[in-house]
Amino acid sequence: MTQSRKVVLSQRYLQLGFVLAMCLLLFTALAPILSADWVEEADVRYLRTTEQMEQLQLMLSGLKDAETGTRGFLITGRQEYLQPYYQGNEQAQGLLNRLRRTLHNDPDTLRSLELISRQIDTLHQYQGRVIEQRRMSGGDKVYTDDISSGKLGMDRLRFSVADLNSQLNARKAVLYNEYQNRRQLVNLVVVLVAVLDAVLFGLLLWQIFLGIRERAKTVEELQEVSERMQLGAASLEERNRHMALLSKMSSALQVCQDGDEFFEVAGKYAHQMFGRHAGALYAYYPSRDLLERMTSWGQLSSDTILFEPNQCWAIRRGQPHEVKDLHLDPVCQHLGVRRPEAYLCLPLMAGGEPVGILYLEASHAKGPEAFPPALLQVANTLTEQVALAVTNMNLRENLRRQSIVDALTGLYNRRFLDETLGRELVRANRQDTPLSLVMLDVDQFKRFNDNHGHEAGDQVLRHIAQLLQKSLRGSDLACRFGGEELTLIMPETDLEAACVKCEALREQIAQLTVRVGGAVLPAVTISMGLAVYPRDGEHADTLIQHADTALYRAKHNGRNRVEVAG
């Protein structure tokens, strides 16, 4: 074989090697992106199972409230105890229907859910029967047997719910393992291909060095090949670093507890990935009429903190907007007076809707080098992960808010009151400060409802709740205790200050104007019972009892007044 033929064959082998190496390099770059949906599918099913478990617990909580209301009505015969009975059953039925829809493809869990449904029906029949009997008896009988039957039915229901929760928890563990296995598989494939690519690069280098010894005339060509390989290795290393940072960021964002922590974490990882490019993350206000800068990094030219959505081309078009020349490309209005030489806006899209933008400013490079393809690829992946994490965080926050806020008044519910009052009493004891607790009730509210309708009564409760939210301090707390009865917690407020505040609220509510259907409703008054820690008790139950006693004394003494415990 002639020397020229050997050279030709050697060159062809080198060319094939480079093509294969570039294919492997391209696969290493695209594999995480192409497999993102596959990995995300397992994560979505895992989150859906978590949501089902939360809904199951909310359903059980509603049934507990209904059972507690039934027991209270059987013992006392007071109609206000039926309010949590109706609300709890309605909430439980709605959550049961939602669980049926989400579990219809799983026969095992659906059978357990249908068992729970039958037990709920049995419990509803029992509750309806004993409530009607209690109403008919007029309070001449003690319903201890019926109460015991209700507790027994509730215990069976708790056992069935615990069994279904165990099934969902087992499935959740399986889905979590599946999600982790998929992630690890993708990472393993990427690493193996990267190692194979590196080995191939090493073999190519070895062949090149052999060619150098054999062909002194091709030294310059071999040097050029070596430089290309080094650039490829550096690009591979940088890409692997970015993929590792994106993976760490995704894991960290999933466990952030609030928006401030979320964007602080996202900003730190973005700074590591776009070190030479200053930038910022903007997110929508809850009203979705403004975007606010949540975090930033580097020396930004633009000093914009807030701007309207229509001032950004990326938001308006729903796709990235890159400006390489301020004189040739459309410029976003949110840049203000101080502008960079080139910039990039990428929308954070979730469910087809923008939830914010990623804003990047170019370094000293201009033109095509301002935002190279590798950087654009990383930026697109980051926006997808941040948008998904924002959506998950908002979903968790909405579920949490639904569990602690009363739907009618917008005030916190009884469950949140029980949790918060205990913490506030511990804080008051530690800091040696007073705490005032007020029980507030609308006078003659049943008669008002009978005369003007329940819609008018609901409207009155909403207006009173809005007045309380505007009048109280940021540290104060207003809750709906049940029916038309509200509760106020005022930390660091002594008896004298609490009396002044209660009198002011009483006068404001008496002057409240409420309209329904264009007609002005008659004014309503309230009665209030006030108890102060530690004067009237050091425990939550004791304070509530004393405040409730004072409230009934206010009712007995003519209503529209404030009575102090003791």
Side-chain angles (χ1 to χ4, degrees), residues 417-418 421-423 425 437 533 537-546:
L417 167 68
D418 294 338
L421 181 56
R423 292 196 300 267
L425 289 175
L437 178 73
Y533 168 88
E538 299 182 356
H539 300 286
D541 293 341
T542 306
L543 277 180
I544 292 176
Q545 180 182 358
H546 287 174

Side-chain angles (χ1 to χ4, degrees), residues 4-77:
S4 59
R5 185 173 177 80
K6 290 182 178 180
V7 172
V8 171
L9 288 176
S10 178
Q11 290 177 347
R12 289 181 178 177
Y13 290 148
L14 286 175
Q15 291 173 355
L16 290 174
F18 278 123
V19 170
L20 180 58
M22 295 307 295
C23 290
L24 292 175
L25 189 63
L26 182 62
F27 176 83
T28 304
L30 295 179
I33 299 175
L34 296 177
S35 61
D37 291 340
W38 183 61
V39 175
E40 182 183 342
E41 178 191 357
D43 188 29
V44 168
R45 286 188 287 151
Y46 168 79
L47 293 175
R48 187 183 300 121
T49 303
T50 302
E51 181 182 355
Q52 291 168 352
M53 294 177 66
E54 294 174 353
Q55 291 173 352
L56 189 63
Q57 293 305 314
L58 286 175
M59 181 186 72
L60 182 60
S61 178
L63 293 171
K64 289 179 181 177
D65 291 344
E67 196 272 338
T68 302
T70 303
R71 191 190 321 156
F73 177 76
L74 291 179
I75 295 174
T76 65

Side-chain angles (χ1 to χ4, degrees), residues 256-530:
C256 288
Q257 297 181 351
D258 53 44
D260 292 339
E261 184 183 42
F262 178 93
F263 284 103
E264 179 184 359
V265 171
K268 288 182 177 180
Y269 281 101
H271 191 191
Q272 296 180 63
M273 285 181 273
F274 310 116
R276 295 188 302 108
H277 296 76
L281 281 169
Y282 291 84
Y284 271 96
Y285 266 20
S287 58
R288 293 190 64 82
D289 58 345
L290 289 173
L291 286 104
E292 179 184 9
R293 183 193 293 177
M294 307 303 296
T295 185
S296 63
W297 57 90
Q299 297 295 324
L300 281 174
S301 298
S302 173
D303 56 358
T304 303
I305 303 298
L306 295 172
F307 67 89
E308 297 178 359
N310 59 7
Q311 293 180 321
C312 179
W313 282 97
I315 293 292
R316 291 160 66 177
R317 298 168 59 197
Q319 60 186 21
H321 181 66
E322 181 179 358
V323 175
K324 300 177 181 178
D325 191 327
L326 298 178
H327 301 288
L328 299 178
D329 299 319
V331 179
C332 296
Q333 299 177 16
H334 64 79
L335 290 185
V337 179
R338 297 173 53 191
R339 299 181 175 182
E341 297 180 353
Y343 73 93
L344 175 67
C345 289
L346 294 96
L348 307 178
M349 303 296 293
E353 293 292 332
V355 296
I357 66 166
L358 168 65
Y359 171 76
L360 292 176
E361 293 183 351
S363 58
H364 299 294
K366 298 181 180 179
E369 300 299 325
F371 299 102
L375 183 139
L376 292 176
Q377 183 179 357
V378 173
N380 284 323
T381 305
L382 181 138
T383 56
E384 292 174 0
Q385 292 193 2
V386 172
L388 177 62
V390 167
T391 303
N392 291 337
M393 181 182 67
N394 291 338
L395 176 61
R396 292 195 302 268
E397 182 62 25
N398 288 337
L399 289 174
R400 177 182 176 275
R401 179 170 180 79
Q402 290 174 9
S403 68
I404 63 174
V405 174
D406 176 62
L408 175 64
T409 62
L411 302 177
Y412 291 109
N413 57 23
R414 174 67 183 276
R415 185 181 300 110
F416 187 78
L417 167 68
D418 294 338
E419 296 174 357
T420 305
L421 181 56
R423 292 196 300 267
E424 290 296 337
L425 289 175
V426 172
R427 183 181 295 111
N429 179 60
R430 186 188 307 117
Q431 298 176 354
D432 194 21
T433 56
L435 180 144
S436 294
L437 178 73
V438 181
M439 298 295 290
L440 179 155
D441 188 85
V442 181
D443 295 329
Q444 302 289 354
F445 191 69
K446 183 179 183 304
R447 181 183 300 172
F448 186 92
N449 276 341
D450 293 340
N451 293 336
H452 304 284
H454 288 282
E455 181 182 357
D458 291 346
Q459 196 70 4
V460 167
L461 289 179
R462 291 192 191 98
H463 278 69
I464 292 177
Q466 293 172 3
L467 188 148
L468 292 177
Q469 291 173 332
K470 293 178 181 178
S471 303
L472 296 177
R473 304 171 302 172
S475 59
D476 297 338
L477 181 69
C479 303
R480 187 179 183 186
F481 192 80
E484 72 275 16
E485 195 168 3
L486 309 178
T487 305
L488 307 180
I489 300 175
M490 296 185 287
E492 301 181 14
T493 304
D494 57 18
L495 177 62
E496 182 179 356
C499 288
V500 172
K501 186 63 177 178
C502 288
E503 286 293 343
L505 289 173
R506 183 186 62 79
E507 294 177 359
Q508 292 174 8
I509 292 174
Q511 299 172 4
L512 196 62
T513 301
V514 181
R515 296 178 181 270
V516 173
V520 178
L521 297 175
V524 297
T525 60
I526 60 169
S527 299
M528 308 174 78
L530 170 63

